Amino acid sequence: MIHLILFGPPGSGKGTQAAKLVEKYQLAHISTGDLFRAETQNKTALGLKALEYMSQGQLVPDEVTIEMLRLKVESLPDVKGFIYDGFPRTTPQAEALDKMLDDKCQSITALIALEVNDDEIVKRILNRGLTSGRPDDNDESIIRKRMEEYRKKTSVVFDYYKKYNKSHAIDGYGSIDAIFSSLSCLIEDQLQIT
Ligand code: AMP
């Protein structure tokens, strides 16, 4: 089964590209940010707990996030594969995902990072905030905190999968279609996914 991690800082275009990849390669898209927002909107206990962290631009604790991800994966037994968007965001999350897949005799196919610099990220997220309705997209200090969390806790996940020769990076600038075309080339030529 295919397990692709779409990686990169907040605002790097993961959600946009994931939607296009899902359509082209018939994979299931799991965005932990979307799952948390759904829980928050439904005012579940998990959602209310997650909101305490999300509203501050902090990562939700690993145990909560890993369990939510596990339940989502298990709810989709018949798919061809998954695109993980916004997960794993810490080394313990990556280890838990590897363990979960290993228990099913499966493993991560590849991690693909979209590379975009900090100033561009702030600009893109503030712009997205005009229409996304996400409170964490409207406040520059929260955006900067999310970027700090990414640098401190998440960027190491790239190196974690690099040890296994699974990490790849592509330029996250340019039009949505140009980035999608680079992604598709990588997926088909190097990873041999069709
Ligand atoms: P995103 O939509 O991916 O930008 O995520 C929005 C917010 O949800 C993040 O700033 C975190 O507070 C939380 N979140 C999403 N995914 C994770 C994760 N894998 N680990 C911890 N927190 C997460």
Side-chain angles (χ1 to χ4, degrees), residues 10 32-34 36-37 53-54 57-60 65 86-87 89 93 134 136 146:
T32 41
D34 285 351
F36 280 134
R37 279 184 287 278
Y53 298 89
M54 294 169 81
Q58 294 169 350
L59 294 184
V60 179
T65 308
F87 185 93
R89 257 175 156 105
Q93 289 181 18
R134 285 177 54 171
D136 60 345
R146 288 161 66 195

Side-chain angles (χ1 to χ4, degrees), residues 4-7 11-25 27 29 83-85 112-116 124 128 170-185 187:
L4 282 181
I5 298 170
L6 198 52
F7 194 72
S12 56
K14 299 187 297 291
T16 305
Q17 295 297 332
K20 291 174 77 71
L21 291 171
V22 161
E23 199 183 322
K24 183 162 183 185
Y25 300 102
L27 301 169
H29 176 203
I83 295 184
Y84 303 99
D85 159 6
I112 307 176
L114 299 175
E115 292 186 320
V116 182
R124 283 192 195 179
R128 180 172 74 186
I170 69 160
D171 190 345
Y173 293 92
S175 69
I176 290 173
D177 285 345
I179 298 168
F180 185 60
S181 163
S182 308
L183 267 175
S184 300
C185 287
I187 288 173

Side-chain angles (χ1 to χ4, degrees), residues 90-180:
T90 62
T91 302
Q93 289 181 18
E95 288 168 348
L97 178 61
D98 281 358
K99 167 89 175 60
M100 188 183 91
L101 297 181
D102 194 46
D103 288 347
K104 302 177 204 276
C105 303
Q106 297 176 17
S107 63
I108 286 296
T109 311
L111 173 151
I112 307 176
L114 299 175
E115 292 186 320
V116 182
N117 77 28
D118 287 11
D119 289 341
E120 173 73 11
I121 285 167
V122 174
K123 216 166 66 189
R124 283 192 195 179
I125 298 182
L126 285 171
N127 193 37
R128 180 172 74 186
L130 298 174
T131 52
S132 71
R134 285 177 54 171
D136 60 345
D137 279 353
N138 277 307
D139 179 328
E140 185 160 342
S141 67
I142 297 176
I143 297 171
R144 296 262 173 211
K145 179 68 193 167
R146 288 161 66 195
M147 287 160 58
E148 188 189 319
E149 290 279 81
Y150 178 81
R151 303 283 169 229
K152 272 204 319 225
K153 300 177 184 165
T154 306
S155 58
V156 290
V157 173
F158 186 91
D159 300 323
Y160 174 90
Y161 286 106
K162 198 170 167 195
K163 283 189 307 215
Y164 307 106
N165 288 325
K166 290 188 174 178
S167 290
H168 305 261
I170 69 160
D171 190 345
Y173 293 92
S175 69
I176 290 173
D177 285 345
I179 298 168
F180 185 60

